[in-house]
Amino acid sequence: MDIVLEIFDTFLFDRLYATAFPRSSTTNGQNVVQAATSTFSSMRELPTAIYPSTQLWTLEPSEYAFRSAWPRDNVWRQTLSLYLITWLFGLVVYFVGATISYLFIFDHATFTHPKYLKNQVRLEIKQASIALPIIAVFTVPFFVGEVQGYAKLYDQPADAPFWLYNILQFPFFIAFTDFFIYWIHRGLHHPRVYKTLHKPHHKWIMPTPYASHAFHPIDGFAQSVPYHVFPFIFPLNKIAYIILFIFINIWTVFIHDGEYVANSSIINGAACHTMHHLYFNYNYGQFTTLWDRFGGSYRKPNEELFRRESKMSKAEWERQCKEMETVQREVEGDDDRNYGDEARRLQKKVV
């Protein structure tokens, strides 16, 4: 995250901190920039160098980088900055990704499904908006640790353990996180924790892309832990880390978009994840079906989902609802969701 933090510092935070927490020193910041390209340590008055986060490019610090009592290397500033980035930038990524999917990919005929909730999109957005700032609180210590140099993030391809690792790190990251998320997700379905922690995400029987981040905060954080732990255990290129961060958010939206493109026995795509939301106890994996097959929880998506004429048919929906209601009673007891009359009214109009 040091690359991301440096970008935000250069173009936003330096000026904000200089305004909010100005230095009391009479030292002319511009002169310091010209003389030494340095910042002031939070521990002493002597200037210390600002080290670039990457050798791929150079971002020249402005005079504002030296005008704050909270310099860039101040851990409290880093913590606050990373919290704001994690929360607000995460919110932007969520809204942009989910909105693009909602407008151009999501099948709006889902609105007519009998298990589509009244005001569901509004409820999904509300849940995600509540969860993201809280998830950020738990996530920031990992990011601060990375910026402070405790992770095994590396900058140049030549810094990898061996050259091929620059390619292998991507499937390795996916395999590592897929394994642990499977078991974390399955654990969240244990009766002792499901209703408190994971049921808020299962409120959406027929999710929209806005359900992608609509979790209980602890649930959302728990399933993200493997992503954050990986670079503390294994080497990971800094740019690859950013690419994977963006990919994970896109993938999370993708598996909730209701557009069943890939009928793959290996990839845990939207169809597999729809089976999970409909029938609860199947397809816990994040990226692949490997650990569901190993753990006996894999359920192949119904063939009807891949044919539009049957996917949106009344007969298919009735079959889905009948089985879903049976499993739902076993898992949750009484169904407290508010489906309202809107879905049934629209269904009569469309089907």
Side-chain angles (χ1 to χ4, degrees):
M1 286 296 289
D2 56 349
I3 291 178
V4 175
L5 182 59
E6 183 182 18
I7 293 171
F8 273 87
D9 275 337
T10 302
F11 295 105
L12 178 62
F13 288 143
D14 282 341
R15 186 162 189 164
L16 288 179
Y17 284 110
T19 302
F21 306 102
R23 282 186 54 81
S24 59
S25 172
T26 57
T27 304
N28 186 301
Q30 183 62 42
N31 290 339
V32 176
V33 174
Q34 294 174 348
T37 310
S38 61
T39 188
F40 293 99
S41 170
S42 58
M43 300 301 293
R44 59 185 184 274
E45 291 296 318
L46 294 176
T48 58
I50 288 181
Y51 296 102
S53 60
T54 177
Q55 298 177 28
L56 298 176
W57 59 75
T58 300
L59 293 175
E60 191 69 27
S62 71
E63 61 184 276
Y64 295 105
F66 312 98
R67 290 187 174 181
S68 175
W70 281 22
R72 287 189 184 183
D73 61 355
N74 182 299
V75 69
W76 299 112
R77 167 174 165 166
Q78 291 174 346
T79 300
L80 178 57
S81 298
L82 288 167
Y83 174 77
L84 293 173
I85 293 170
T86 307
W87 171 26
L88 299 177
F89 186 63
L91 201 63
V92 169
V93 170
Y94 162 66
F95 273 110
V96 171
T99 300
I100 291 174
S101 178
Y102 179 81
L103 293 176
F104 300 107
I105 301 174
F106 176 66
D107 192 338
H108 290 73
T110 302
F111 295 154
T112 66
H113 195 285
K115 296 302 179 182
Y116 184 82
L117 302 186
K118 184 178 181 181
N119 300 320
Q120 181 169 315
V121 169
R122 186 187 306 169
L123 293 171
E124 289 169 339
I125 292 174
K126 179 181 178 181
Q127 180 65 44
S129 299
I130 293 171
L132 287 174
I134 302 173
I135 292 173
V137 171
F138 297 106
T139 303
V140 162
F142 289 99
F143 291 157
V144 172
E146 292 168 12
V147 171
Q148 291 285 319
Y150 294 103
K152 297 186 177 182
L153 294 165
Y154 65 91
D155 186 38
Q156 298 295 308
D159 299 329
F162 52 93
W163 188 90
L164 190 59
Y165 187 84
N166 291 295
I167 299 173
L168 295 178
Q169 63 184 327
F170 291 98
F172 185 29
F173 179 90
I174 296 298
F176 176 89
T177 55
D178 194 47
F179 170 78
F180 284 101
I181 291 173
Y182 170 82
W183 292 107
I184 291 169
H185 190 180
R186 186 162 185 166
L188 287 163
H189 277 259
H190 190 282
R192 292 192 177 184
V193 298
Y194 171 80
K195 288 187 178 181
T196 301
L197 298 183
H198 197 51
K199 185 179 176 181
H201 187 63
H202 271 274
K203 185 175 184 177
W204 333 112
I205 302 299
M206 295 300 296
T208 80
Y210 292 105
S212 59
H213 294 65
F215 291 94
H216 185 288
I218 295 177
D219 177 7
F221 170 71
Q223 295 194 61
S224 74
V225 166
Y227 302 135
H228 305 306
V229 168
F230 183 92
F232 286 90
I233 302 175
F234 304 105
L236 185 63
N237 179 265
K238 291 181 179 181
I239 299 299
Y241 180 72
I242 296 172
I243 292 171
L244 286 165
F245 175 83
I246 295 171
F247 166 75
I248 290 163
N249 280 276
I250 293 173
W251 182 266
T252 304
V253 172
F254 168 75
I255 61 176
H256 292 90
D257 67 15
E259 190 60 32
Y260 313 126
V261 177
N263 187 8
S264 171
S265 59
I266 299 174
I267 299 173
N268 185 50
C272 280
H273 201 65
T274 293
M275 292 291 99
H276 179 71
H277 275 266
L278 273 170
Y279 308 125
F280 298 85
N281 297 324
Y282 304 95
N283 300 347
Y284 299 109
Q286 180 73 354
F287 302 111
T288 75
T289 63
L290 173 64
W291 297 109
D292 281 297
R293 292 175 182 277
F294 178 82
S297 55
Y298 174 68
R299 174 164 176 164
K300 183 179 180 180
N302 302 338
E303 290 295 331
E304 291 82 0
L305 295 180
F306 300 96
R307 298 190 300 270
R308 182 170 178 80
E309 62 276 10
S310 58
K311 168 187 172 184
M312 293 298 174
S313 70
K314 185 176 181 180
E316 172 65 10
W317 283 353
E318 288 178 348
R319 188 191 62 74
Q320 288 176 357
C321 291
K322 183 177 180 180
E323 183 177 358
M324 170 264 163
E325 288 168 358
T326 300
V327 178
Q328 182 274 323
R329 282 192 294 270
E330 295 174 356
V331 173
E332 297 180 346
D334 294 336
D335 191 352
D336 57 1
R337 296 170 181 82
N338 181 13
Y339 301 105
D341 298 323
E342 182 179 8
R344 284 183 282 273
R345 177 177 59 79
L346 290 171
Q347 184 187 9
K348 291 178 182 178
K349 193 178 291 186
V350 175
V351 180

Short mmCIF file of all heavy atoms in Angstrom, two decimals, residues 286-322:
data_model
loop_
_atom_site.label_atom_id
_atom_site.label_comp_id
_atom_site.label_asym_id
_atom_site.label_seq_id
_atom_site.Cartn_x
_atom_site.Cartn_y
_atom_site.Cartn_z
N GLN A 286 -14.29 -19.20 -3.17
CA GLN A 286 -14.27 -17.84 -3.69
C GLN A 286 -13.95 -17.81 -5.18
O GLN A 286 -14.59 -17.10 -5.93
CB GLN A 286 -13.24 -17.01 -2.93
CG GLN A 286 -13.14 -15.56 -3.39
CD GLN A 286 -14.32 -14.70 -2.98
OE1 GLN A 286 -15.31 -15.19 -2.43
NE2 GLN A 286 -14.25 -13.41 -3.25
N PHE A 287 -12.95 -18.56 -5.59
CA PHE A 287 -12.50 -18.52 -6.99
C PHE A 287 -12.71 -19.85 -7.72
O PHE A 287 -13.00 -19.85 -8.91
CB PHE A 287 -11.02 -18.15 -7.06
CG PHE A 287 -10.70 -16.82 -6.42
CD1 PHE A 287 -9.96 -16.76 -5.26
CD2 PHE A 287 -11.15 -15.64 -6.99
CE1 PHE A 287 -9.66 -15.54 -4.67
CE2 PHE A 287 -10.87 -14.41 -6.40
CZ PHE A 287 -10.11 -14.36 -5.24
N THR A 288 -12.52 -20.96 -7.02
CA THR A 288 -12.61 -22.26 -7.67
C THR A 288 -13.57 -23.17 -6.90
O THR A 288 -14.00 -22.86 -5.79
CB THR A 288 -11.24 -22.95 -7.74
OG1 THR A 288 -10.88 -23.46 -6.44
CG2 THR A 288 -10.16 -21.99 -8.23
N THR A 289 -13.87 -24.31 -7.52
CA THR A 289 -14.73 -25.31 -6.88
C THR A 289 -13.90 -26.41 -6.21
O THR A 289 -14.46 -27.37 -5.68
CB THR A 289 -15.66 -25.96 -7.92
OG1 THR A 289 -14.87 -26.66 -8.90
CG2 THR A 289 -16.50 -24.90 -8.63
N LEU A 290 -12.56 -26.27 -6.23
CA LEU A 290 -11.67 -27.34 -5.75
C LEU A 290 -12.00 -27.75 -4.33
O LEU A 290 -12.18 -28.94 -4.03
CB LEU A 290 -10.22 -26.86 -5.86
CG LEU A 290 -9.17 -27.81 -5.24
CD1 LEU A 290 -9.16 -29.13 -5.99
CD2 LEU A 290 -7.79 -27.15 -5.28
N TRP A 291 -12.07 -26.78 -3.41
CA TRP A 291 -12.23 -27.15 -2.00
C TRP A 291 -13.66 -27.54 -1.68
O TRP A 291 -13.90 -28.30 -0.73
CB TRP A 291 -11.72 -26.01 -1.11
CG TRP A 291 -10.27 -25.80 -1.35
CD1 TRP A 291 -9.68 -24.75 -1.99
CD2 TRP A 291 -9.22 -26.71 -1.02
NE1 TRP A 291 -8.32 -24.94 -2.07
CE2 TRP A 291 -8.01 -26.14 -1.48
CE3 TRP A 291 -9.19 -27.95 -0.37
CZ2 TRP A 291 -6.78 -26.77 -1.33
CZ3 TRP A 291 -7.97 -28.58 -0.21
CH2 TRP A 291 -6.78 -27.98 -0.68
N ASP A 292 -14.62 -27.05 -2.46
CA ASP A 292 -15.99 -27.55 -2.30
C ASP A 292 -16.06 -29.02 -2.69
O ASP A 292 -16.75 -29.81 -2.04
CB ASP A 292 -16.96 -26.74 -3.18
CG ASP A 292 -17.33 -25.41 -2.54
OD1 ASP A 292 -17.94 -25.44 -1.46
OD2 ASP A 292 -17.00 -24.36 -3.11
N ARG A 293 -15.35 -29.40 -3.75
CA ARG A 293 -15.33 -30.82 -4.14
C ARG A 293 -14.64 -31.66 -3.06
O ARG A 293 -15.11 -32.74 -2.70
CB ARG A 293 -14.60 -30.97 -5.48
CG ARG A 293 -15.37 -30.35 -6.65
CD ARG A 293 -14.55 -30.43 -7.94
NE ARG A 293 -15.24 -29.80 -9.04
CZ ARG A 293 -16.18 -30.37 -9.78
NH1 ARG A 293 -16.55 -31.62 -9.51
NH2 ARG A 293 -16.77 -29.73 -10.77
N PHE A 294 -13.53 -31.13 -2.54
CA PHE A 294 -12.80 -31.84 -1.50
C PHE A 294 -13.64 -31.95 -0.23
O PHE A 294 -13.65 -32.99 0.45
CB PHE A 294 -11.49 -31.10 -1.19
CG PHE A 294 -10.69 -31.72 -0.09
CD1 PHE A 294 -9.85 -32.80 -0.33
CD2 PHE A 294 -10.75 -31.22 1.21
CE1 PHE A 294 -9.11 -33.37 0.69
CE2 PHE A 294 -10.02 -31.78 2.24
CZ PHE A 294 -9.19 -32.86 1.98
N GLY A 295 -14.37 -30.89 0.12
CA GLY A 295 -15.16 -30.86 1.34
C GLY A 295 -16.57 -31.37 1.20
O GLY A 295 -17.34 -31.34 2.17
N GLY A 296 -16.94 -31.85 0.01
CA GLY A 296 -18.27 -32.42 -0.19
C GLY A 296 -19.38 -31.39 -0.23
O GLY A 296 -20.54 -31.72 0.00
N SER A 297 -19.06 -30.13 -0.54
CA SER A 297 -20.07 -29.08 -0.53
C SER A 297 -20.32 -28.50 -1.93
O SER A 297 -21.00 -27.48 -2.07
CB SER A 297 -19.66 -27.95 0.42
OG SER A 297 -18.37 -27.45 0.11
N TYR A 298 -19.76 -29.14 -2.95
CA TYR A 298 -19.95 -28.62 -4.31
C TYR A 298 -21.34 -28.99 -4.83
O TYR A 298 -21.80 -30.11 -4.65
CB TYR A 298 -18.90 -29.16 -5.26
CG TYR A 298 -19.14 -28.78 -6.71
CD1 TYR A 298 -19.01 -27.46 -7.12
CD2 TYR A 298 -19.50 -29.74 -7.65
CE1 TYR A 298 -19.24 -27.09 -8.43
CE2 TYR A 298 -19.73 -29.38 -8.98
CZ TYR A 298 -19.60 -28.05 -9.35
OH TYR A 298 -19.84 -27.70 -10.66
N ARG A 299 -21.98 -28.02 -5.44
CA ARG A 299 -23.24 -28.28 -6.13
C ARG A 299 -23.16 -27.66 -7.52
O ARG A 299 -22.98 -26.45 -7.66
CB ARG A 299 -24.42 -27.68 -5.37
CG ARG A 299 -25.73 -27.82 -6.15
CD ARG A 299 -26.93 -27.60 -5.28
NE ARG A 299 -28.16 -27.63 -6.07
CZ ARG A 299 -29.37 -27.78 -5.56
NH1 ARG A 299 -29.53 -27.92 -4.25
NH2 ARG A 299 -30.43 -27.80 -6.34
N LYS A 300 -23.30 -28.49 -8.51
CA LYS A 300 -23.26 -28.02 -9.89
C LYS A 300 -24.47 -27.14 -10.17
O LYS A 300 -25.59 -27.49 -9.81
CB LYS A 300 -23.24 -29.21 -10.85
CG LYS A 300 -23.11 -28.81 -12.31
CD LYS A 300 -23.08 -30.04 -13.21
CE LYS A 300 -22.96 -29.62 -14.68
NZ LYS A 300 -22.94 -30.79 -15.58
N PRO A 301 -24.26 -25.98 -10.80
CA PRO A 301 -25.39 -25.11 -11.13
C PRO A 301 -26.39 -25.80 -12.04
O PRO A 301 -26.01 -26.60 -12.90
CB PRO A 301 -24.73 -23.92 -11.85
CG PRO A 301 -23.32 -23.94 -11.39
CD PRO A 301 -22.97 -25.37 -11.15
N ASN A 302 -27.65 -25.51 -11.83
CA ASN A 302 -28.69 -26.10 -12.67
C ASN A 302 -28.49 -25.68 -14.12
O ASN A 302 -28.20 -24.52 -14.42
CB ASN A 302 -30.07 -25.64 -12.21
CG ASN A 302 -30.35 -26.01 -10.76
OD1 ASN A 302 -29.73 -26.92 -10.21
ND2 ASN A 302 -31.26 -25.29 -10.14
N GLU A 303 -28.66 -26.62 -15.03
CA GLU A 303 -28.50 -26.33 -16.45
C GLU A 303 -29.46 -25.23 -16.91
O GLU A 303 -29.16 -24.47 -17.83
CB GLU A 303 -28.72 -27.60 -17.27
CG GLU A 303 -27.63 -28.64 -17.12
CD GLU A 303 -26.29 -28.17 -17.68
OE1 GLU A 303 -26.29 -27.34 -18.61
OE2 GLU A 303 -25.25 -28.61 -17.16
N GLU A 304 -30.61 -25.13 -16.26
CA GLU A 304 -31.61 -24.13 -16.65
C GLU A 304 -31.10 -22.70 -16.53
O GLU A 304 -31.58 -21.79 -17.22
CB GLU A 304 -32.87 -24.29 -15.79
CG GLU A 304 -33.67 -25.56 -16.05
CD GLU A 304 -33.10 -26.77 -15.34
OE1 GLU A 304 -32.07 -26.62 -14.63
OE2 GLU A 304 -33.66 -27.87 -15.47
N LEU A 305 -30.10 -22.49 -15.67
CA LEU A 305 -29.58 -21.15 -15.46
C LEU A 305 -28.86 -20.60 -16.68
O LEU A 305 -28.70 -19.38 -16.82
CB LEU A 305 -28.63 -21.12 -14.26
CG LEU A 305 -29.23 -21.43 -12.89
CD1 LEU A 305 -28.14 -21.38 -11.83
CD2 LEU A 305 -30.36 -20.48 -12.55
N PHE A 306 -28.42 -21.49 -17.56
CA PHE A 306 -27.63 -21.05 -18.71
C PHE A 306 -28.46 -20.91 -19.98
O PHE A 306 -27.92 -20.63 -21.05
CB PHE A 306 -26.47 -22.04 -18.94
CG PHE A 306 -25.56 -22.14 -17.76
CD1 PHE A 306 -25.72 -23.14 -16.82
CD2 PHE A 306 -24.55 -21.21 -17.56
CE1 PHE A 306 -24.89 -23.23 -15.71
CE2 PHE A 306 -23.71 -21.29 -16.45
CZ PHE A 306 -23.88 -22.30 -15.53
N ARG A 307 -29.77 -21.07 -19.85
CA ARG A 307 -30.67 -20.85 -20.97
C ARG A 307 -31.71 -19.83 -20.54
O ARG A 307 -32.49 -20.08 -19.61
CB ARG A 307 -31.35 -22.14 -21.41
CG ARG A 307 -30.38 -23.21 -21.90
CD ARG A 307 -31.13 -24.37 -22.55
NE ARG A 307 -32.04 -25.02 -21.62
CZ ARG A 307 -31.70 -26.04 -20.83
NH1 ARG A 307 -30.47 -26.52 -20.87
NH2 ARG A 307 -32.59 -26.58 -20.01
N ARG A 308 -31.73 -18.68 -21.18
CA ARG A 308 -32.56 -17.58 -20.73
C ARG A 308 -34.03 -17.95 -20.67
O ARG A 308 -34.76 -17.56 -19.76
CB ARG A 308 -32.37 -16.34 -21.62
CG ARG A 308 -33.20 -15.16 -21.13
CD ARG A 308 -32.87 -13.86 -21.81
NE ARG A 308 -33.72 -12.79 -21.32
CZ ARG A 308 -33.57 -12.13 -20.20
NH1 ARG A 308 -32.55 -12.42 -19.42
NH2 ARG A 308 -34.40 -11.18 -19.83
N GLU A 309 -34.50 -18.73 -21.65
CA GLU A 309 -35.92 -19.07 -21.69
C GLU A 309 -36.34 -19.90 -20.48
O GLU A 309 -37.46 -19.79 -19.99
CB GLU A 309 -36.27 -19.80 -22.98
CG GLU A 309 -35.57 -21.13 -23.19
CD GLU A 309 -34.19 -21.00 -23.81
OE1 GLU A 309 -33.68 -19.86 -23.89
OE2 GLU A 309 -33.61 -22.03 -24.18
N SER A 310 -35.40 -20.71 -19.94
CA SER A 310 -35.73 -21.51 -18.76
C SER A 310 -35.28 -20.82 -17.47
O SER A 310 -35.89 -20.99 -16.41
CB SER A 310 -35.08 -22.90 -18.85
OG SER A 310 -33.68 -22.79 -19.00
N LYS A 311 -34.20 -20.01 -17.58
CA LYS A 311 -33.68 -19.30 -16.41
C LYS A 311 -34.74 -18.41 -15.78
O LYS A 311 -34.84 -18.31 -14.55
CB LYS A 311 -32.47 -18.47 -16.84
CG LYS A 311 -31.97 -17.47 -15.83
CD LYS A 311 -30.88 -16.60 -16.45
CE LYS A 311 -30.48 -15.47 -15.54
NZ LYS A 311 -29.49 -14.58 -16.17
N MET A 312 -35.53 -17.75 -16.59
CA MET A 312 -36.53 -16.81 -16.10
C MET A 312 -37.96 -17.36 -16.21
O MET A 312 -38.92 -16.60 -16.21
CB MET A 312 -36.42 -15.49 -16.87
CG MET A 312 -35.14 -14.73 -16.59
SD MET A 312 -35.02 -14.26 -14.84
CE MET A 312 -33.37 -13.55 -14.78
N SER A 313 -38.08 -18.67 -16.29
CA SER A 313 -39.42 -19.25 -16.43
C SER A 313 -40.09 -19.42 -15.07
O SER A 313 -39.42 -19.57 -14.03
CB SER A 313 -39.32 -20.61 -17.12
OG SER A 313 -38.71 -21.56 -16.27
N LYS A 314 -41.38 -19.40 -15.09
CA LYS A 314 -42.15 -19.56 -13.86
C LYS A 314 -41.90 -20.93 -13.23
O LYS A 314 -41.79 -21.06 -12.00
CB LYS A 314 -43.64 -19.37 -14.16
CG LYS A 314 -44.51 -19.40 -12.92
CD LYS A 314 -45.96 -19.12 -13.27
CE LYS A 314 -46.83 -19.13 -12.02
NZ LYS A 314 -48.26 -18.85 -12.35
N ALA A 315 -41.78 -21.96 -14.07
CA ALA A 315 -41.56 -23.32 -13.56
C ALA A 315 -40.23 -23.41 -12.83
O ALA A 315 -40.14 -24.02 -11.75
CB ALA A 315 -41.60 -24.32 -14.72
N GLU A 316 -39.17 -22.81 -13.39
CA GLU A 316 -37.86 -22.84 -12.75
C GLU A 316 -37.87 -22.08 -11.44
O GLU A 316 -37.32 -22.53 -10.43
CB GLU A 316 -36.80 -22.27 -13.70
CG GLU A 316 -35.41 -22.06 -13.09
CD GLU A 316 -34.73 -23.36 -12.69
OE1 GLU A 316 -35.23 -24.44 -13.05
OE2 GLU A 316 -33.70 -23.29 -11.99
N TRP A 317 -38.52 -20.94 -11.43
CA TRP A 317 -38.59 -20.15 -10.21
C TRP A 317 -39.37 -20.88 -9.11
O TRP A 317 -38.99 -20.85 -7.94
CB TRP A 317 -39.23 -18.80 -10.50
CG TRP A 317 -38.31 -17.84 -11.18
CD1 TRP A 317 -36.98 -18.02 -11.42
CD2 TRP A 317 -38.65 -16.57 -11.71
NE1 TRP A 317 -36.46 -16.93 -12.07
CE2 TRP A 317 -37.46 -16.02 -12.26
CE3 TRP A 317 -39.83 -15.84 -11.77
CZ2 TRP A 317 -37.44 -14.76 -12.86
CZ3 TRP A 317 -39.80 -14.58 -12.36
CH2 TRP A 317 -38.63 -14.05 -12.91
N GLU A 318 -40.45 -21.53 -9.48
CA GLU A 318 -41.23 -22.27 -8.49
C GLU A 318 -40.41 -23.42 -7.92
O GLU A 318 -40.47 -23.70 -6.71
CB GLU A 318 -42.52 -22.79 -9.13
CG GLU A 318 -43.55 -21.70 -9.40
CD GLU A 318 -44.80 -22.24 -10.07
OE1 GLU A 318 -44.77 -23.41 -10.53
OE2 GLU A 318 -45.80 -21.49 -10.15
N ARG A 319 -39.65 -24.10 -8.78
CA ARG A 319 -38.80 -25.19 -8.30
C ARG A 319 -37.73 -24.66 -7.36
O ARG A 319 -37.44 -25.24 -6.31
CB ARG A 319 -38.16 -25.89 -9.50
CG ARG A 319 -37.41 -27.17 -9.13
CD ARG A 319 -36.58 -27.65 -10.29
NE ARG A 319 -35.57 -26.67 -10.65
CZ ARG A 319 -34.47 -26.44 -9.94
NH1 ARG A 319 -34.25 -27.13 -8.82
NH2 ARG A 319 -33.60 -25.54 -10.31
N GLN A 320 -37.09 -23.53 -7.73
CA GLN A 320 -36.08 -22.91 -6.88
C GLN A 320 -36.65 -22.53 -5.52
O GLN A 320 -36.05 -22.81 -4.48
CB GLN A 320 -35.52 -21.65 -7.56
CG GLN A 320 -34.63 -21.90 -8.76
CD GLN A 320 -34.20 -20.59 -9.42
OE1 GLN A 320 -34.61 -19.50 -9.01
NE2 GLN A 320 -33.38 -20.69 -10.45
N CYS A 321 -37.81 -21.91 -5.54
CA CYS A 321 -38.42 -21.42 -4.29
C CYS A 321 -38.79 -22.57 -3.37
O CYS A 321 -38.60 -22.48 -2.15
CB CYS A 321 -39.65 -20.57 -4.61
SG CYS A 321 -39.27 -19.00 -5.40
N LYS A 322 -39.31 -23.63 -3.94
CA LYS A 322 -39.73 -24.78 -3.12
C LYS A 322 -38.54 -25.36 -2.38
O LYS A 322 -38.59 -25.61 -1.17
CB LYS A 322 -40.39 -25.84 -4.00
CG LYS A 322 -40.93 -27.02 -3.22
CD LYS A 322 -41.64 -28.01 -4.13
CE LYS A 322 -42.16 -29.20 -3.33
NZ LYS A 322 -42.86 -30.19 -4.21
#
